[in-house]
Amino acid sequence: MERRDIEIFLTLAEELHFGRTAERLGVSGARVSQTVKQLERRFGVELFRRTSRQVALTPVGSALRDDVRAGHQLIEEGIAKAVAAGRGFTGVLRVGFSSPLVGEAVMAAAAVFRTHHPECEVRIREVHLSDAFGALRAGELDLQITEFPVDEPDLDAGPALLHDERMLAVSTGHPFARKDHVTVEDLARDTVLVPADAPAYLLDALVPPITPTGRPVQRTPTLTSRQELLTLVGAGAGMAIVGSQAVRHHSRPDIAYVPIADLPPITYGPVWSAAARTSRVRGFTDLLQVELGR
């Protein structure tokens, strides 16, 4: 029996009415009648008794319905799973974030994503700039929302989705702590702590290597985590450029956050392996863009 023949037979066995069966399946009544006749000729036995008033299953038709129904349900479930897998909305989507601001956006988008695709589990984890793309390359993440720019031959990036004004984190005993703002020139006056092993181009974009007048900025690559950054800054071991989100998420009595007047905001966007942009990745990225645009 063809799949469509099975659908017509089982639906008619349930409805016991040619017109309702045709309407439910979106076919003509003639198609339903023709299919039943073809099946009865093939099996050499009557499956339905038809009169002008009613349609009823014969004992053979009733037995065939019971035998076919269970198998048909399994086939339909298997097909549905295969289609869903082909569309990429089953399994697990692993998303990385690099800051609390990004983490909030990812969590909100994940909640909406789960309502649209309940068969897809979203797992979220933090990454640090000291190993900016290691998890992506190792296959531990499918997607990462991280600081821009990204210039890696094996990775693709989407549009910038988030912007965060830059601030300078200093200890409360630092002379800059009493300023209303600082400038890039001020960065040359003390050590600036930066992530260890961050890509050089990204480091240059986040912390300028020289000031506008050509003075070198002393950048010390020691940081491997956000907590280490806060501890060292609070202890007066150096300064650090951070996003304004730090004021809300990392308020500490030993750290002051001072606006930087002449640097553009830090931008964040999606990054994924160039060889593995699945439907899940596209769907989540599109949803995140919509959610942040509201």
Side-chain angles (χ1 to χ4, degrees):
M1 296 173 68
E2 299 291 335
R3 183 184 176 195
R4 195 55 165 169
D5 294 343
I6 295 173
E7 290 175 344
I8 290 174
F9 169 74
L10 289 176
T11 305
L12 182 58
E14 180 180 338
E15 295 287 351
L16 296 177
H17 190 282
F18 280 80
R20 288 196 298 269
T21 297
E23 182 178 356
R24 181 169 156 185
L25 295 177
V27 300
S28 67
R31 172 67 187 278
V32 176
S33 180
Q34 182 183 25
T35 297
V36 172
K37 290 177 181 178
Q38 288 175 344
L39 291 176
E40 290 177 333
R41 283 198 300 268
R42 184 183 308 169
F43 299 145
V45 66
E46 190 178 49
L47 301 176
F48 296 92
R49 290 196 181 96
R50 282 90 78 186
T51 69
S52 59
R53 294 187 176 182
Q54 66 176 4
V55 178
L57 281 163
T58 65
V60 174
S62 180
L64 181 63
R65 176 202 59 195
D66 295 342
D67 291 339
V68 169
R69 186 161 50 191
H72 178 259
Q73 183 176 350
L74 289 175
I75 291 172
E76 291 299 302
E77 290 175 354
I79 291 173
K81 289 179 181 179
V83 170
R87 292 175 177 169
F89 292 113
T90 60
V92 178
L93 176 66
R94 299 159 300 176
V95 184
F97 68 93
S98 60
S99 74
L101 177 69
V102 174
E104 288 180 343
V106 169
M107 290 294 289
V112 177
F113 187 85
R114 291 185 185 104
T115 64
H116 292 305
H117 309 292
E119 294 184 354
C120 183
E121 179 185 356
V122 181
R123 296 178 185 171
I124 298 170
R125 59 173 278 190
E126 184 178 10
V127 296
H128 193 266
L129 290 181
S130 60
D131 187 17
F133 309 115
L136 272 177
R137 291 192 169 112
E140 297 170 4
L141 290 175
D142 303 300
L143 173 67
Q144 183 173 319
I145 315 301
T146 194
E147 287 83 354
F148 275 9
V150 173
D151 185 15
E152 305 290 326
D154 59 330
L155 302 177
D156 287 339
L161 300 178
L162 287 165
H163 305 270
D164 194 16
E165 297 296 329
R166 293 192 223 201
M167 304 192 80
L168 188 67
V170 297
S171 72
T172 50
H174 196 283
F176 291 169
R178 295 180 291 277
K179 283 178 167 283
D180 293 331
H181 68 272
V182 294
T183 67
V184 176
E185 286 295 331
D186 290 321
L187 299 181
R189 296 171 59 185
D190 198 353
T191 298
V192 180
L193 305 175
V194 297
D197 301 320
Y201 68 85
L202 179 57
L203 189 59
D204 288 346
L206 295 176
V207 182
I210 59 173
T211 70
T213 62
R215 299 167 64 196
V217 176
Q218 183 181 346
R219 302 183 301 186
T220 303
T222 60
L223 305 178
T224 59
S225 72
R226 199 169 300 275
Q227 288 306 314
E228 182 180 355
L229 165 67
L230 298 174
T231 300
L232 290 175
V233 169
M239 312 180 296
I241 293 180
V242 298
S244 62
Q245 61 185 293
V247 176
R248 178 162 58 97
H249 291 285
H250 301 298
S251 178
R252 290 174 50 135
D254 56 347
I255 294 178
Y257 297 103
V258 186
I260 303 175
D262 50 354
L263 280 179
I266 301 172
T267 59
Y268 301 85
V271 184
W272 58 87
S273 170
R277 192 188 182 199
T278 64
S279 296
R280 292 190 298 271
V281 169
R282 288 194 298 270
F284 192 88
T285 302
D286 291 345
L287 177 61
L288 186 60
Q289 189 169 2
V290 169
E291 289 297 308
L292 292 175
R294 291 181 178 178

